[in-house]
Amino acid sequence: MPYKHEPFTDFSKPENKKAFEEALQLVESYLGQDYPLVIGGEKITTEDKIVSYNPADKKEVIGRVSKASREHAEQAMQAAVKAFDSWKKVKPEIRADVLFKAAAIIRRRKHEFSALLVKEAGKPWNEADADTAEAIDFLEYYGRQMLRIKDGMPVESRPGEYNRYDYIPLGVGIVISPWNFALAIMAGTTVAALVTGNAVLLKPASTTPIVAAKFIEVLEEAGLPAGVLNFVPGSGAEVGDFLVDHPKTRFISFTGSRDVGLRIFERASKLNDGQIWLKRVISEMGGKDTIVVDKEADLELAAQSIVKSAFGFSGQKCSACSRAVIVEDVYDQVLNRAVELTKELTVGNPVDNHFMGPVIDQASFDKIMSYVEIGKEEGRIAAGGTGDSETGYFVQPTIVADVDPQARLMQEEIFGPVVAFAKAKDFDHAIEIANNTEYGLTGAVITNNRMNMEKAREDFHVGNLYFNRGCTGAIVGYQPFGGFNMSGTDSKAGGPDYLQLHMQAKTTSETF
């Protein structure tokens, strides 16, 4: 089966719009339900709950998940250790079939999962649809990748000997997933670990646990044996640290902020009593992503790319454009056009399919608004600059013009709909500014100059570089995703060598 990515839904077609509205009604019919922990296949309900609220309407409860304690985490670890013994011996083809079946289930319920993302994560329709499509892509792609590497890699043999190089699973992994791609990244990181023969403890983001609970149900329906995947939502300080430190933890797959990523990396490096391996950390952290605009460029494309990449899903993507670096000859033209486009954007409850919905929660809203205040000091507010958290957490798309390349707004990850514009003397200077952060995740260059394109290909130090398009929207199997420096371990999700990060190679040599 050749791999082709899941197509996006065209909501301008009346039948698709109607189908999505029906999916929203379906999701609304089961809001407010309780979801258990799943440990060794057993459903466990606790008094203590994590409550998920709608960020666009903060009184609305999406659902409640049982909250795992350290005792539950220990129980889940024991279940995973036990399940690993049998799961690692299950044929890779059968493990891949679980992923293909899960993909088929989600494809049938595609609008339902997307509608849940609209409600729980505050995603506009198209962003939610892309999130669900990406989850399907991860299932399909990693299933196929497993079939490709299941027999290992060829090595040389001499006369009278036979050598093999096989991949074997690592053991029990902890998957700590983010809220911004609450289905796609949660599903992708989980199934990459599962299909390679590992057992998993999944700790989803506390703001979006319901979509994760629904995904657990899908994998059960797809035939994943009990104990191979354990669902342990809980607090980072209580359950997260405990599992990262656990001597039976073999690897940690984390997506989230720079600070939490560094904390995990440090804790994972320490040897705990009874631990007989070095833990592996697969980490995807933050970004401070730049779109560079050359003087020889399609300036309309430049303005459109900046606005879409900066404000899609309210800028809550590690790939979002938070810096526009523009060669001074065309700076005013691009800035003025970007301001015009930004003022046309609508912000509101994503159920009504606005371009932008809310940011995820109060803490996020407060942080973003504090950066808007910093922006007033460091530059000039050219668009937006206001927010309202009365009913939901809404921030207007904000452009801050004339910012110094060393300013905080150009250096620190904001994770909201705020983009800083800076002037460069020439193209070389623009690349220099683009590289002046501790991150290195995504970037884009808008230019018609072939030599400058090649210069950027060599010198713009990011894991994902795009020419003449925005810097968000990597597609599984097409643009493997992961970055350099403080953006993480460059673990190229949705790429040809991602699964091997969850495995170790074993050489066997037989003499005849």
Side-chain angles (χ1 to χ4, degrees):
M1 309 182 275
Y3 167 75
K4 267 213 326 276
H5 91 90
E6 181 70 17
F8 302 132
T9 307
D10 178 358
F11 289 116
S12 68
K13 292 186 173 165
E15 65 272 25
N16 290 342
K17 184 172 184 282
K18 184 169 181 291
F20 200 79
E21 284 164 348
E22 286 167 2
L24 281 163
Q25 285 174 334
L26 170 63
V27 168
E28 277 173 10
S29 75
Y30 61 68
L31 291 182
Q33 290 184 3
D34 287 4
Y35 298 85
L37 306 174
V38 183
I39 296 175
E42 193 188 336
K43 310 279 189 284
I44 297 171
T45 303
T46 62
E47 288 280 298
D48 213 2
K49 302 276 192 254
I50 296 173
V51 185
S52 172
Y53 295 96
N54 180 348
D57 179 6
K58 57 192 187 183
K59 293 190 297 293
E60 184 173 67
V61 173
I62 304 302
R64 299 175 198 82
V65 296
S66 284
K67 189 177 183 182
S69 64
R70 288 193 173 184
E71 290 69 33
H72 294 119
E74 181 57 41
Q75 202 183 332
M77 178 57 77
Q78 299 309 328
V81 168
K82 183 165 176 274
F84 174 63
D85 279 343
S86 51
W87 181 242
K88 68 184 179 186
K89 293 190 185 318
V90 171
K91 285 196 335 210
E93 293 87 342
I94 295 171
R95 301 196 301 246
D97 281 345
V98 173
L99 272 61
F100 297 142
K101 171 75 176 189
I105 295 166
I106 294 176
R107 199 176 276 114
R108 284 196 286 273
R109 295 170 58 188
K110 188 175 179 183
H111 290 334
E112 180 197 343
F113 271 99
S114 300
L116 182 53
L117 289 165
V118 168
K119 284 286 195 177
E120 188 172 38
K123 289 208 163 190
W125 292 19
N126 63 324
E127 295 278 350
D129 181 70
D131 195 325
T132 305
E134 188 176 5
I136 294 167
D137 285 347
F138 277 131
L139 290 159
E140 294 281 0
Y141 181 78
Y142 291 149
R144 284 166 177 73
Q145 283 299 116
M146 191 64 227
L147 297 179
R148 185 169 287 170
I149 63 171
K150 68 183 173 62
D151 298 320
M153 288 289 164
V155 289
E156 303 303 322
S157 294
R158 293 175 297 199
E161 76 177 9
Y162 173 51
N163 299 323
R164 276 176 54 176
Y165 184 86
D166 291 300
Y167 292 117
I168 64 169
L170 289 172
V172 176
I174 313 302
V175 171
I176 302 173
S177 63
W179 53 262
N180 65 333
F181 287 86
L183 179 56
I185 295 179
M186 180 270 307
T189 50
T190 299
V191 302
L194 294 174
V195 77
T196 44
N198 303 289
V200 168
L201 278 67
L202 170 62
K203 193 187 99 59
S206 294
T207 38
T208 54
I210 307 303
V211 70
K214 289 279 175 194
F215 180 67
I216 297 281
E217 292 170 9
V218 167
L219 285 179
E220 285 177 351
E221 190 186 333
L224 189 71
V228 176
L229 175 57
N230 302 277
F231 183 56
V232 284
S235 90
E238 191 183 3
V239 171
D241 286 353
F242 174 75
L243 290 173
V244 168
D245 296 347
H246 202 290
K248 291 280 189 253
T249 296
R250 182 63 183 81
F251 66 97
I252 299 109
S253 178
F254 166 77
T255 308
S257 72
R258 167 195 181 276
D259 292 352
V260 178
L262 288 175
R263 178 187 170 86
I264 288 170
F265 207 71
E266 183 183 6
R267 292 185 85 105
S269 71
K270 294 188 167 68
L271 192 66
N272 288 278
D273 285 347
Q275 181 184 326
I276 56 168
W277 45 61
L278 297 173
K279 292 172 184 171
R280 193 176 291 181
V281 177
I282 304 161
S283 186
E284 207 271 286
M285 288 145 53
K288 190 68 185 166
D289 310 300
T290 309
I291 294 183
V292 167
V293 184
D294 198 1
K295 64 182 184 200
E296 297 166 63
D298 178 335
L299 301 186
E300 178 64 21
L301 173 69
Q304 296 273 1
S305 301
I306 291 165
V307 169
K308 287 201 180 95
S309 300
F311 304 134
F313 188 39
S314 307
Q316 299 176 112
K317 302 177 186 181
C318 43
S319 61
C321 170
S322 59
R323 318 190 322 154
V325 175
I326 300 160
V327 173
E328 59 188 5
D329 311 47
V330 295
Y331 178 87
D332 290 335
Q333 278 166 276
V334 176
L335 172 64
N336 293 339
R337 182 62 182 134
V339 168
E340 280 175 13
L341 291 167
T342 300
K343 288 180 173 168
E344 289 167 13
L345 302 178
T346 62
V347 180
N349 193 320
V351 165
D352 304 321
N353 204 14
H354 289 279
F355 175 81
M356 251 174 67
V359 298
I360 193 68
D361 59 13
Q362 187 72 52
S364 186
F365 177 87
D366 293 343
K367 177 186 171 188
I368 295 160
M369 292 314 296
S370 76
Y371 274 105
V372 170
E373 290 308 308
I374 293 166
K376 290 174 184 171
E377 303 291 311
E378 293 186 337
R380 164 174 71 83
I381 305 279
T386 59
D388 178 2
S389 63
E390 198 174 332
T391 50
Y393 309 106
F394 295 99
V395 179
Q396 292 299 314
T398 300
I399 290 176
V400 186
D402 313 334
V403 182
D404 184 271
Q406 296 301 333
R408 288 182 64 187
L409 223 60
M410 287 285 286
Q411 295 295 324
E412 298 171 16
E413 186 176 42
I414 301 167
F415 225 68
V418 179
V419 58
F421 275 62
K423 249 182 220 165
K425 291 195 292 286
D426 53 26
F427 189 77
D428 286 6
H429 186 220
I431 296 298
E432 196 183 304
I433 297 170
N435 283 333
N436 80 355
T437 83
E438 61 179 9
Y439 296 102
L441 189 52
T442 75
V445 174
I446 315 294
T447 183
N448 294 325
N449 181 317
R450 172 61 59 187
M451 291 303 111
N452 282 351
M453 210 181 274
E454 287 315 303
K455 180 182 174 52
R457 201 188 293 272
E458 282 191 9
D459 295 343
F460 193 161
H461 194 59
V462 289
N464 286 64
L465 179 59
Y466 304 101
F467 293 107
N468 293 319
R469 55 159 278 191
C471 61
T472 64
I475 289 176
V476 174
Y478 292 63
Q479 294 109 5
F481 185 83
F484 307 145
N485 298 351
M486 280 297 149
S487 291
T489 54
D490 189 38
S491 51
K492 292 294 186 286
D497 46 14
Y498 186 71
L499 290 188
Q500 286 92 321
L501 300 173
H502 307 75
M503 309 177 85
Q504 48 198 351
K506 182 172 183 177
T507 299
T508 54
S509 182
E510 182 180 357
T511 304
F512 291 143

